[in-house]
Amino acid sequence: IETGAGCSELAGYRVLITAGGTREPIDPVRYISNRSSGKMGYALAREALRRGAEVILVTTPTGLPLPEGAEVVHVESADEMYEAVMSRFDAVDVVVKAAAVADYRPAAPAEQKMKKQADRLFLELVRTPDILAELGRRKERQVLVGFAAETNDLETYALDKLRRKNVDLMVANDVTQTGAGFGVDTNIVTIFDGRGGKETLKLMAKEEVASRIFDRVIQILSNSCD
Ligand code: CTP
Ligand code: CA
């Protein structure tokens, strides 16, 4: 593990990061997903490794190179991600939920490939478990970081999610802004904390956003390396 500039402020900590958009099966060959690229989550994993953490990366298929040194857990659906995260929660110190988890999944995925029939098809969807909210209910010592990608009323929604899910930090971005959100290598985020704090960051590389997020996590863990 490489620890840049001799700083190993996350040495001895276990950090679990989720990345990518979940895939909710319709039938064996089709799924419902979203525009998440996984880039923010992978940048977070690299940054946590650089700071000396033991990293578990729970990821959907993204096509991105796997961060060297991370324990990688491959999942596809929200249900699989839920299992992967819950079964490891007691053993970790920090969870960063950068994944874009589907809110609904097809109620009953077909066992065989669906054949086209009528002109219209209605697909019944049911809610997936809210992984972050469940972590918020179960958390003891863990630091929890959530993400909120919004198109409008960013602050209202982000603060509502921060409180409802009982997280320590909520990283919010307006995905309608150029240079923010899905697919790109940069992001424009505001970090809200549980004490009413609000830190607005300018446009920066996702690597740098990851670094700023871990600066805040480390403050909460009260672990500085200088
Ligand atoms: N999240 C999760 N499990 C879900 C849905 C969301 O863990 N089933 C997490 C995401 O990983 C993210 C945070 O919750 O860290 C906020 O996700 P978001 O989609 O913005 O919030 P929702 O509560 O799903 O609200 P909505 O989509 O209605 O805005
Ligand atoms: Ca959602």
Side-chain angles (χ1 to χ4, degrees):
I1 295 170
E2 190 190 330
T3 52
C7 181
S8 52
E9 56 207 342
L10 283 176
Y13 287 100
R14 274 186 281 214
V15 178
L16 187 151
I17 295 159
T18 69
T22 64
R23 296 179 172 186
E24 309 303 329
I26 297 170
D27 70 14
V29 299
R30 304 182 177 98
Y31 57 81
I32 297 175
S33 194
N34 58 66
R35 295 186 188 281
S36 171
S37 65
K39 285 179 176 176
M40 191 63 241
Y42 279 56
L44 285 156
R46 287 193 297 273
E47 181 61 19
L49 286 163
R50 198 182 67 77
R51 295 181 186 227
E54 235 178 85
V55 174
I56 303 172
L57 177 63
V58 176
T59 182
T60 65
T62 63
L64 298 171
L66 297 175
E68 212 164 304
E71 177 190 337
V72 179
V73 181
H74 294 279
V75 297
E76 295 206 3
S77 66
D79 281 337
E80 288 171 11
M81 184 173 282
Y82 180 89
E83 287 306 321
V85 172
M86 288 307 154
S87 64
R88 290 166 177 85
F89 189 48
D90 289 345
V92 302
D93 306 293
V94 180
V95 176
V96 187
K97 282 240 59 206
V101 184
D103 294 323
Y104 294 89
R105 63 169 174 81
E111 276 170 35
Q112 309 295 339
K113 184 187 169 193
M114 289 166 68
K115 302 307 283 182
K116 60 175 176 284
Q117 292 177 22
D119 287 348
R120 291 213 270 172
L121 172 69
F122 297 91
L123 202 56
E124 188 183 5
L125 304 178
V126 293
R127 283 280 295 272
T128 56
D130 190 319
I131 304 167
L132 189 56
E134 185 57 26
L135 296 177
R137 283 188 284 272
R138 292 191 193 186
K139 92 168 162 151
E140 288 166 5
R141 70 206 145 76
Q142 292 93 343
V143 176
L144 279 189
V145 183
F147 275 74
E150 308 289 352
T151 58
N152 58 291
D153 299 315
L154 181 86
E155 179 155 353
T156 308
Y157 286 132
L159 287 176
D160 177 57
K161 287 171 191 175
L162 177 101
R163 283 189 278 267
R164 256 191 310 118
K165 304 191 190 214
N166 190 30
V167 303
D168 299 284
L169 297 172
M170 185 56 84
V171 183
N173 63 335
D174 177 348
V175 291
T176 64
Q177 279 183 281
T178 316
F182 302 123
V184 297
D185 291 316
T186 54
N187 213 347
I188 308 168
V189 308
T190 302
I191 304 176
F192 297 95
D193 65 37
R195 304 199 197 132
K198 172 182 173 181
E199 182 186 6
T200 302
L201 305 182
K202 60 177 173 45
L203 176 108
M204 54 179 71
K206 284 183 175 173
E207 302 287 344
E208 179 65 16
V209 175
S211 173
R212 299 296 201 92
I213 291 169
F214 281 114
D215 283 346
R216 298 292 301 271
V217 168
I218 284 155
Q219 275 175 15
I220 297 169
L221 291 167
S222 314
N223 202 35
S224 167
C225 67
D226 45 43

